[in-house]
Amino acid sequence: MDPRATVLRGDLLVRDGRIVAVGPGVSAALAGITPDADYDAAGCLVLPGFVHGHLHLCQTLFRGLAEQSDLLPWLRERIWPLEAAHTPASLAVSARLGLCELIAGGVTCINDMGTVRHTEAVGNALEASGIRAVFGKALMDRGEGVPEVLVDSARSAIDESLALANRFHGAAGGRLAVSLAPRFILSCSEALWRDVASVAADRGLPVHTHLSESPGEAREVAAAVDTTAARYFATHGLLGKRFVGAHGVWLDDEELALLAKSGSALVHCPGSNLKLGSGLAHVRAWRRAGIRCGIGSDGAACNNRLDTFQEMSLAALVSRVRNAAAGAGGPAAPLEAHEVVALATCEGARALGMEDAIGSLEVGKQADLAVVDVGGPHHGPSAQRDPYTALVHAARASDVRLTMVGGRVLYRDGAWTTLDPEAVVAEARAERAGLLRRASLAEVA
Ligand SMILES: [Zn+2]
């Protein structure tokens, strides 16, 4: 995933957490040295670890509890009551459960939006897991149907975010970063948006939010602020190189131009958009406008997989349909497999402003990588002929053999090094039962 889209046969050498040689250079770099450890990836693809651009680890415990719903009733009737019932313990295991799945699926970096309270529990889980992450507490100071415990004052929303930043921004050897995460237009007052813009600029923190996700949301946004989300963000100084917006399904050309001109990034979540019936995002148009783009699964309550392979496949397929629907004279060609893999690796890293450190297997970059076995029958007869197509259209998360972050192995041949999945699943069951009792949602258990 370097700028020349190089595919090499050979070895990769890691030292002190970074890539020091790739392909032909490895034997020279290893002359006279016995490595501390090696991994035989013969017959596999070795690729940059996936960058997962939009996610809510706080919702992993809600998997399967919020089905057959559109965005706003899904939030008001299920997700917010469940988030309101989280304790630090339930939130921590929700994060660990999601991290087990992500790490085993080759994900090495995530951009997470938490819930309103107890976000330090997510930070601690991220730190212990070994994954690279940007995360922030959801900021909400207003909104119809929001439980009282999820409504902060604008002041405390910002203060708590800054306390998180003081503790976690740059922590774990630079693996962790903290964002300001105003949830979406309908949950934040104008005063809060203004504070987010000024604090993000002062402190150099990323801004992570949702925009233009569903038609019902667009109607309520228009009623609340008399314009669209992207235009509102532009007038309130939110857009810019630190801005990462999820979904963007219904953005018009003028909004795409605003996002592109400001250097903002968008994250495509095709699985969530399909399952909530939100619509088909037009990623070709995003890319043509010059917007930095990533890909993500959104939370486990609206997907329900946290699986980059699934999202890549859906992104390619949605792009085919979106293009066909536009008809002759419509937009340019659908996304190619190579472009889709880029969304999940180098372009995803660029969307988070981390392209100098991660996103490709190049000398000097962090050793964040995944080893994917393409020897199974579902890859036959030969995945090697076109590795991009194999990754997007045939590979599964269960094909991942090894996941490494900064040179540290987090997952290898079915075993996690920092997480105990059996214990996590057992704890998750118990915590979910408590969560449902507190949320008075026993009927959906
Ligand atoms: Zn989301």
Side-chain angles (χ1 to χ4, degrees):
M1 306 315 295
D2 67 357
R4 292 172 308 284
T6 311
V7 178
L8 290 170
R9 278 178 194 280
D11 301 311
L12 181 141
L13 182 64
V14 172
R15 185 186 296 144
D16 298 332
R18 289 180 186 270
I19 297 166
V20 294
V22 186
V26 170
S27 37
L30 262 181
I33 300 171
T34 308
D36 299 325
D38 57 26
Y39 187 80
D40 182 359
C44 297
L45 302 176
V46 182
L47 58 145
F50 293 131
V51 179
H52 210 90
H54 179 68
L55 176 70
H56 305 266
L57 285 172
C58 63
Q59 294 173 10
T60 323
L61 280 196
F62 316 161
R63 182 169 3 227
L65 293 183
E67 300 300 303
Q68 299 295 3
S69 193
D70 294 347
L71 176 67
L72 293 177
W74 175 85
L75 284 167
R76 287 167 180 155
E77 292 162 22
R78 284 285 183 260
I79 300 307
W80 289 338
L82 287 164
E83 284 190 18
H86 258 315
T87 63
S90 64
L91 192 53
V93 77
S94 189
R96 285 200 294 273
L97 185 63
L99 288 165
C100 284
E101 183 180 4
L102 291 161
I103 288 169
V107 175
T108 54
C109 181
I110 63 169
N111 183 35
D112 187 74
M113 182 186 292
T115 181
V116 173
R117 298 182 305 147
H118 316 308
T119 310
E120 64 286 351
V122 175
N124 291 332
L126 291 168
E127 185 161 15
S129 75
I131 204 164
R132 196 176 301 285
V134 185
F135 73 106
K137 87 179 218 98
L139 310 184
M140 303 174 77
D141 72 338
R142 63 178 291 271
E144 184 191 327
V146 184
E148 212 169 298
V149 294
L150 295 185
V151 182
D152 274 339
S153 68
R155 188 68 261 156
S156 71
I158 296 289
D159 286 350
E160 285 181 30
S161 294
L162 290 176
L164 278 175
N166 290 339
R167 177 159 166 204
F168 290 107
H169 196 64
R175 259 198 302 115
L176 301 182
V178 171
S179 63
L180 298 174
R183 192 158 200 148
F184 70 148
I185 292 278
L186 300 178
S187 69
C188 301
S189 66
E190 185 172 7
L192 181 51
W193 288 112
R194 288 190 190 285
D195 285 352
V196 167
S198 74
V199 172
D202 284 355
R203 298 287 297 260
L205 298 175
V207 176
H208 179 197
T209 190
H210 299 95
L211 81 163
S212 203
E213 182 172 353
S214 82
E217 170 213 15
R219 282 191 293 276
E220 292 201 25
V221 166
V225 296
D226 203 25
T227 182
T228 63
R231 290 179 176 87
Y232 185 86
F233 293 151
T235 19
H236 287 75
L238 272 303
L239 299 183
K241 289 189 167 43
R242 284 183 296 270
F243 179 92
V244 181
H247 303 301
V249 178
W250 296 96
L251 295 165
D252 62 33
D253 287 347
E254 194 181 296
E255 292 173 294
L256 292 181
L258 287 172
L259 290 160
K261 195 168 137 228
S262 61
S264 301
L266 289 174
V267 179
H268 183 32
C269 301
S272 166
N273 296 158
L274 290 164
K275 188 155 183 278
L276 291 173
S278 299
L280 308 176
H282 195 358
V283 179
R284 169 60 73 212
W286 301 2
R287 286 176 59 76
R288 204 176 36 198
I291 295 168
R292 293 177 294 131
C293 311
I295 193 167
S297 61
D298 215 344
C302 62
N303 189 304
N304 299 350
R305 297 179 175 91
L306 307 180
D307 176 349
T308 313
F309 294 95
Q310 166 85 355
E311 296 309 313
M312 289 198 296
S313 173
L314 290 174
L317 303 181
V318 163
S319 181
R320 296 282 315 173
V321 173
R322 192 71 171 72
N323 201 63
L335 297 177
E336 292 174 23
H338 173 268
E339 291 179 281
V340 175
V341 176
L343 291 179
T345 55
C346 51
E347 291 294 324
R350 215 156 70 81
L352 300 185
M354 296 166 80
E355 68 273 22
D356 292 340
I358 58 168
S360 60
L361 301 182
E362 293 182 89
V363 171
K365 285 204 171 178
Q366 293 286 333
D368 288 16
L369 56 90
V371 176
V372 180
D373 186 351
V374 288
H378 58 285
H379 282 292
S382 173
Q384 305 284 351
R385 198 185 64 78
D386 181 352
Y388 301 108
T389 293
L391 286 168
V392 171
H393 292 293
R396 306 164 178 169
S398 55
D399 294 336
V400 173
R401 293 283 167 268
L402 180 131
T403 307
M404 174 185 280
V405 174
R408 181 182 184 195
V409 173
L410 302 185
Y411 177 82
R412 179 176 178 158
D413 299 321
W416 289 254
T417 63
T418 59
L419 289 152
D420 176 349
E422 276 182 38
V424 169
V425 169
E427 199 187 331
R429 280 205 190 104
E431 286 295 344
R432 176 149 109 172
L435 193 75
L436 288 166
R437 270 197 308 277
R438 291 190 296 278
S440 305
L441 288 172
E443 79 279 5
V444 297

